[in-house]
Amino acid sequence: MTNGDPPSPLRRGLRTDRLEALSDGVFAIAITLLVLAIAVPTKAGNHLLRSVAHLWPSYLAYAVSFSTIGASWLGHNVITEYLDRADAVFVRLNLLLLLLIAFLPFPTRLFADYIGENQPERVAATIYGVSLLLASTLLWVLWRYAVRAGLVRPDLADEEVQLLTQRLTPGLGGYVILIVVGLFVPIVAVVGYLAIALYYVIPFRRFGRIHLFRPRRRNQRPS
Amino acid sequence: MTNGDPPSPLRRGLRTDRLEALSDGVFAIAITLLVLAIAVPTKAGNHLLRSVAHLWPSYLAYAVSFSTIGASWLGHNVITEYLDRADAVFVRLNLLLLLLIAFLPFPTRLFADYIGENQPERVAATIYGVSLLLASTLLWVLWRYAVRAGLVRPDLADEEVQLLTQRLTPGLGGYVILIVVGLFVPIVAVVGYLAIALYYVIPFRRFGRIHLFRPRRRNQRPS
Amino acid sequence: MTNGDPPSPLRRGLRTDRLEALSDGVFAIAITLLVLAIAVPTKAGNHLLRSVAHLWPSYLAYAVSFSTIGASWLGHNVITEYLDRADAVFVRLNLLLLLLIAFLPFPTRLFADYIGENQPERVAATIYGVSLLLASTLLWVLWRYAVRAGLVRPDLADEEVQLLTQRLTPGLGGYVILIVVGLFVPIVAVVGYLAIALYYVIPFRRFGRIHLFRPRRRNQRPS
Amino acid sequence: MTNGDPPSPLRRGLRTDRLEALSDGVFAIAITLLVLAIAVPTKAGNHLLRSVAHLWPSYLAYAVSFSTIGASWLGHNVITEYLDRADAVFVRLNLLLLLLIAFLPFPTRLFADYIGENQPERVAATIYGVSLLLASTLLWVLWRYAVRAGLVRPDLADEEVQLLTQRLTPGLGGYVILIVVGLFVPIVAVVGYLAIALYYVIPFRRFGRIHLFRPRRRNQRPS
């Protein structure tokens, strides 16, 4: 909708620009609210350094959730980039994805607060993993729906569609495995969640090499 | 304002793009702040799973408020989509709508905290319902004003205007009925609020079928 | 920068679109954070209705700060609307304005917490008033600077510039008077702050009548 | 991507507009969340004025962090302004920068809470300084990467690139020196952090004089 041609009066669907604006807002706020999960130690006195060091689960949870939301945003970005138009189902699925993204600060705080306590940390890690799995699943559903409903750009090659689908799929299996692992060794599961998020971030680089690094003619006027 | 044609120097009114930017910001923040209403249980120890399960009123309130704000955003989206231009009264009504949307996290927390206590939960559910009713009413007022003041796009068919008006109206009656119901069975009222929000979300799909699914010529260049 | 013409390579100044994006973000967040100042009563039991009613200073403070930030946003909107370009001083003044806007939730909470206590409410009302005065003054400075530095659109009539300047000026005097009044009758001062904010909102309507209601040719293509 | 020409189908990389939207969102939210670090005094009674005055470390920390995030936003703004396109590494580095920016409210609260206590204030000031150093370093890395990877606009003169590089470099040394100073006199270090932030803000003005103040032909149509 930001192109030079006026929007066709016939095409009065929900504009993707406001969809993106709300989505970017929720992603940005959820990712920034995570810092509130790191509780400033009170009355630490001369032991402040030790108190701050003891907060490592909070930093780990911050890194995991930040990476996951960041990776989801990257994925969301690629999806809307390939989107030709949105329809009403897509908009609703997108709201559901945002509901899950906006929820993530809660299991993040839960995990940060209860790691180190034997029984509760398993519960917290499992709730955390299920939340991450749900958010990632919905991102995958959003993409699948966009492809099936024919919302993606017509000039997009099938192999590109398949490539993105393949990238989004294995992470889901990873979460399922790690949730089971987390029942026994919670900390390993959480480090695994971080690894998945970084994996999500990195493939987009390789994925990007195909398109992003394509040399652009320098004699074009800058856009 | 993102089209190819420069803004007419004669038309220096408040641009709808910043109106939408502020609105999207407030919607996104209010919807994301809701998660702060879910209090992480402290010192739950080995009963963490039970403690987390006991938070179900918080999750319900999160779902209700998220759906309601999401539905309001969808409605706001359709309104601004159909908007030809904004005038000063519209901008003020919009600010009033945002005031009510931004207020919703308060009754949400109130309900989440007091459900289960016999007398207070009626008070909390009523305050919650009145807040939702006010926000929805203002969305309806915003649309009615836009139509009456001739702010909607001239190429918009009367039946489309009436269709949106009809969609926005019955929800208001629903809230009034549920507020009365909530005086006796609060939990039923709140589930009803969720149903209204989902009803608001779903009709836009059917509504959308008319316009959103209209096949777009594939030989157009992608926008 | 959202027009059809490419940005001139010679004109590489800070784009006003990101200036507006950051500003809209801060306005939206500050206005939405205000709701956190309304503390949910704890253990109110059967007295919940009374407890919620006793929170009226919080609602008043919410209304005052929301209106003031809303009015500042409207003013900021008109200023950037009339802006031809930004320079580095303008950007810094804008950051200073945002610093004051983002600070407002603090005096808002201070007032909401201390009204009703004889001595402290005078202190809280004064701090509140000074904060509002500073924010409004900076908005006025921003506009004056834009005019003096020749940043406003060249096609803007002098009378329009003067009209906006006149609108922004009397509010400052109002704040000074009310701050003094607040030393004796704090609640009157705060109601006065609300009146000023509404006054700021309303004149823009009258101001707007000149431009906003100017009939737009209907045979133009919708933008 | 907001120009009049349609995006080339060949160039499907991550659009810089959503990169900027997420970044502006995170900057705006982090900068606005800082106010939550200023704790409203409870039960101050008739000593409210003194209590509020005693919060001066909070105000100082608010000013330092606000200025630093504001300066980072200005720098980020200049970088993306000079950006011809983004690649996947740039996007990831940008996410890392946002992670550090979003983290700043934590050391800000830490410093505000512990200044005045002999031993802890050194710890808090050091953690604060290291956080600021990391954020600033990443901004510098982001710029260096953009230059090395050839992402900057081809029409950008080498001297302009060098000028910005030079501006971004000395601040890093300043932080290192001040972190060491802070081990002995924490308050001096923090005032120094404020000075660096203001220095970052001010040079962009001088830097800007070259481009921002370049007179624009008045007979151009307003953009």
Side-chain angles (χ1 to χ4, degrees):
Chain A
M1 287 307 243
T2 52
N3 299 49
D5 53 336
S8 157
L10 290 179
R11 184 163 161 268
R12 278 195 211 98
L14 291 165
R15 291 172 304 168
T16 56
D17 60 347
R18 284 201 65 185
L19 185 87
E20 292 176 11
L22 186 85
S23 303
D24 283 338
V26 170
F27 278 110
I29 297 153
I31 219 169
T32 318
L33 282 183
L34 294 171
V35 77
L36 299 182
I38 311 177
V40 174
T42 52
K43 294 176 185 162
N46 289 343
H47 304 295
L48 182 59
L49 190 57
R50 205 187 300 163
S51 299
V52 169
H54 277 161
L55 288 174
W56 66 265
S58 296
Y59 310 135
L60 177 60
Y62 178 76
V64 174
S65 293
F66 198 102
S67 308
T68 305
I69 297 180
S72 301
W73 176 78
L74 275 176
H76 191 266
N77 218 319
V78 174
I79 291 175
T80 57
E81 179 73 8
Y82 284 6
L83 212 63
D84 186 34
R85 60 200 171 91
D87 71 8
V89 175
F90 185 89
V91 171
R92 285 160 72 202
L93 287 174
N94 193 66
L95 275 178
L96 197 55
L97 172 65
L98 295 183
L99 183 143
L100 292 166
I101 294 290
F103 184 72
L104 286 181
F106 173 70
T108 305
R109 274 180 295 156
L110 206 63
F111 172 76
D113 283 7
Y114 281 98
I115 198 167
E117 298 185 39
N118 188 30
Q119 181 62 23
E121 73 176 357
R122 289 155 202 248
V123 175
T126 306
I127 293 172
Y128 196 15
V130 171
S131 303
L132 297 174
L133 173 61
L134 286 176
S136 297
T137 303
L138 218 84
L139 192 67
W140 181 85
V141 167
L142 199 67
W143 172 240
R144 293 298 296 164
Y145 176 77
V147 172
R148 298 246 169 133
L151 303 178
V152 295
R153 294 162 62 148
D155 60 321
L156 196 64
D158 284 351
E159 61 198 21
E160 291 186 89
V161 170
Q162 282 183 5
L163 188 55
L164 183 53
T165 307
Q166 282 171 23
R167 288 290 174 209
L168 290 170
T169 312
L172 304 184
Y175 281 121
V176 172
I177 293 167
L178 285 170
I179 288 167
V180 175
V181 169
L183 293 170
F184 304 94
V185 210
I187 190 71
V188 170
V190 173
V191 172
Y193 300 148
L194 180 60
I196 290 182
L198 295 179
Y199 167 86
Y200 266 105
V201 174
I202 295 170
F204 282 108
R205 182 202 147 128
R206 221 173 310 148
F207 183 55
R209 266 198 196 121
I210 301 168
H211 310 289
L212 299 174
F213 288 88
R214 186 167 294 173
R216 203 158 153 260
R217 280 199 303 271
R218 278 303 179 122
N219 54 355
Q220 283 185 332
R221 59 176 180 169
S223 65
Chain B
M1 289 304 245
T2 51
N3 298 51
D5 53 335
S8 158
L10 291 178
R11 185 164 160 266
R12 277 193 212 97
L14 291 165
R15 292 171 305 167
T16 55
D17 60 347
R18 284 201 67 186
L19 185 88
E20 291 176 12
L22 186 85
S23 303
D24 283 339
V26 170
F27 277 110
I29 298 153
I31 219 169
T32 319
L33 282 184
L34 294 171
V35 78
L36 299 182
I38 310 177
V40 174
T42 52
K43 295 176 185 162
N46 289 342
H47 305 295
L48 182 59
L49 190 58
R50 204 187 302 162
S51 298
V52 169
H54 276 161
L55 288 175
W56 66 265
S58 296
Y59 309 135
L60 176 61
Y62 178 76
V64 174
S65 292
F66 199 102
S67 307
T68 305
I69 297 180
S72 301
W73 176 78
L74 275 175
H76 192 266
N77 219 319
V78 174
I79 292 175
T80 59
E81 180 73 9
Y82 283 7
L83 213 63
D84 187 34
R85 60 198 171 90
D87 70 9
V89 175
F90 185 89
V91 171
R92 286 160 72 201
L93 286 174
N94 193 65
L95 275 178
L96 197 56
L97 172 65
L98 296 182
L99 182 143
L100 292 166
I101 294 291
F103 184 73
L104 285 181
F106 173 70
T108 304
R109 274 181 294 155
L110 205 64
F111 171 77
D113 283 7
Y114 282 98
I115 197 165
E117 298 185 39
N118 188 29
Q119 181 61 25
E121 75 176 355
R122 289 154 202 249
V123 175
T126 306
I127 292 172
Y128 197 14
V130 171
S131 303
L132 298 174
L133 173 62
L134 286 176
S136 298
T137 304
L138 219 83
L139 192 67
W140 182 84
V141 167
L142 198 67
W143 171 241
R144 293 298 299 163
Y145 176 78
V147 172
R148 298 245 168 136
L151 302 178
V152 295
R153 295 162 62 149
D155 60 322
L156 196 63
D158 284 351
E159 59 199 22
E160 292 185 87
V161 170
Q162 282 183 6
L163 188 55
L164 183 54
T165 308
Q166 282 171 23
R167 290 289 173 210
L168 290 171
T169 311
L172 304 185
Y175 280 121
V176 172
I177 292 167
L178 286 170
I179 288 167
V180 175
V181 169
L183 292 172
F184 304 94
V185 209
I187 190 70
V188 170
V190 173
V191 172
Y193 300 148
L194 181 59
I196 289 182
L198 295 179
Y199 167 86
Y200 267 104
V201 173
I202 294 170
F204 282 108
R205 181 204 146 126
R206 222 174 311 149
F207 183 55
R209 268 200 195 120
I210 301 169
H211 311 289
L212 299 175
F213 288 89
R214 186 166 295 173
R216 205 159 152 258
R217 281 198 304 269
R218 279 302 179 122
N219 54 354
Q220 284 185 330
R221 58 178 181 169
S223 65
Chain C
M1 288 306 244
T2 52
N3 298 50
D5 53 335
S8 156
L10 290 178
R11 185 164 160 268
R12 278 195 211 96
L14 291 164
R15 291 171 307 167
T16 55
D17 60 347
R18 283 200 66 185
L19 185 87
E20 292 176 11
L22 186 85
S23 303
D24 284 338
V26 170
F27 278 111
I29 298 153
I31 219 169
T32 319
L33 283 183
L34 294 171
V35 77
L36 300 181
I38 311 178
V40 174
T42 52
K43 294 177 185 161
N46 290 342
H47 305 295
L48 182 60
L49 190 58
R50 205 187 300 163
S51 298
V52 169
H54 277 162
L55 288 175
W56 65 266
S58 296
Y59 309 135
L60 176 62
Y62 178 75
V64 173
S65 292
F66 199 101
S67 307
T68 304
I69 297 179
S72 301
W73 176 79
L74 275 176
H76 192 265
N77 218 318
V78 174
I79 292 175
T80 57
E81 180 73 8
Y82 283 6
L83 213 62
D84 187 33
R85 60 199 171 90
D87 71 8
V89 175
F90 185 89
V91 171
R92 285 160 71 202
L93 287 174
N94 193 65
L95 276 178
L96 197 55
L97 172 65
L98 296 182
L99 183 143
L100 292 167
I101 294 290
F103 184 72
L104 286 181
F106 174 69
T108 304
R109 275 180 293 156
L110 205 64
F111 172 77
D113 284 7
Y114 282 99
I115 197 166
E117 299 186 38
N118 188 30
Q119 181 62 24
E121 74 175 357
R122 289 154 202 250
V123 175
T126 305
I127 292 172
Y128 197 13
V130 171
S131 303
L132 297 174
L133 173 62
L134 286 175
S136 298
T137 303
L138 219 84
L139 191 68
W140 182 83
V141 167
L142 198 66
W143 171 241
R144 293 299 297 163
Y145 176 77
V147 172
R148 298 245 169 134
L151 303 178
V152 295
R153 295 162 63 148
D155 60 321
L156 196 62
D158 284 351
E159 60 199 21
E160 292 185 88
V161 170
Q162 283 183 5
L163 188 55
L164 183 54
T165 308
Q166 283 171 22
R167 290 289 173 208
L168 290 170
T169 311
L172 304 184
Y175 281 121
V176 172
I177 292 168
L178 285 170
I179 288 167
V180 176
V181 169
L183 292 171
F184 304 94
V185 208
I187 190 71
V188 169
V190 173
V191 172
Y193 299 148
L194 180 60
I196 290 181
L198 295 180
Y199 168 86
Y200 266 104
V201 174
I202 294 170
F204 282 108
R205 183 204 146 128
R206 221 175 310 149
F207 184 55
R209 267 198 196 123
I210 300 169
H211 311 290
L212 298 175
F213 288 88
R214 185 167 295 173
R216 207 162 150 253
R217 280 199 305 269
R218 278 303 178 121
N219 54 354
Q220 284 185 331
R221 58 178 181 170
S223 66
Chain D
M1 287 305 246
T2 52
N3 299 50
D5 54 335
S8 156
L10 290 178
R11 183 165 160 266
R12 280 194 210 97
L14 291 164
R15 291 172 304 168
T16 56
D17 59 348
R18 283 200 67 186
L19 185 87
E20 292 177 11
L22 187 84
S23 304
D24 283 337
V26 171
F27 277 111
I29 298 154
I31 220 169
T32 319
L33 282 183
L34 294 171
V35 77
L36 299 181
I38 310 178
V40 174
T42 52
K43 294 178 185 159
N46 289 342
H47 304 295
L48 182 59
L49 190 57
R50 205 186 301 162
S51 299
V52 170
H54 277 161
L55 288 174
W56 66 264
S58 295
Y59 310 135
L60 176 62
Y62 178 75
V64 173
S65 292
F66 199 102
S67 307
T68 305
I69 297 180
S72 301
W73 176 78
L74 275 176
H76 191 266
N77 218 319
V78 173
I79 291 174
T80 57
E81 179 74 8
Y82 283 6
L83 213 62
D84 187 33
R85 59 201 172 89
D87 70 9
V89 175
F90 185 88
V91 171
R92 285 160 72 202
L93 287 174
N94 193 65
L95 276 178
L96 197 55
L97 172 65
L98 295 183
L99 183 143
L100 292 166
I101 294 291
F103 184 72
L104 286 181
F106 173 69
T108 304
R109 276 180 292 155
L110 206 64
F111 172 77
D113 283 7
Y114 281 98
I115 198 166
E117 299 184 39
N118 188 28
Q119 181 61 24
E121 74 175 357
R122 289 154 202 248
V123 176
T126 306
I127 293 172
Y128 197 14
V130 171
S131 303
L132 297 174
L133 173 62
L134 286 176
S136 298
T137 303
L138 219 84
L139 191 67
W140 182 84
V141 168
L142 198 67
W143 171 240
R144 294 297 298 162
Y145 176 76
V147 172
R148 297 245 169 135
L151 302 178
V152 295
R153 294 161 64 148
D155 60 320
L156 196 64
D158 284 351
E159 59 198 22
E160 292 185 88
V161 170
Q162 283 183 6
L163 189 55
L164 182 54
T165 308
Q166 282 172 22
R167 289 290 173 208
L168 291 170
T169 311
L172 305 184
Y175 281 121
V176 172
I177 292 167
L178 286 170
I179 288 167
V180 176
V181 170
L183 292 171
F184 303 94
V185 208
I187 191 71
V188 170
V190 174
V191 172
Y193 300 148
L194 180 59
I196 290 182
L198 296 179
Y199 168 85
Y200 266 104
V201 174
I202 294 170
F204 282 108
R205 183 204 146 127
R206 221 174 309 147
F207 184 55
R209 267 199 196 122
I210 301 169
H211 310 290
L212 298 174
F213 289 89
R214 185 166 296 171
R216 206 160 151 257
R217 281 199 304 269
R218 279 304 179 119
N219 53 354
Q220 283 185 330
R221 59 176 179 169
S223 67

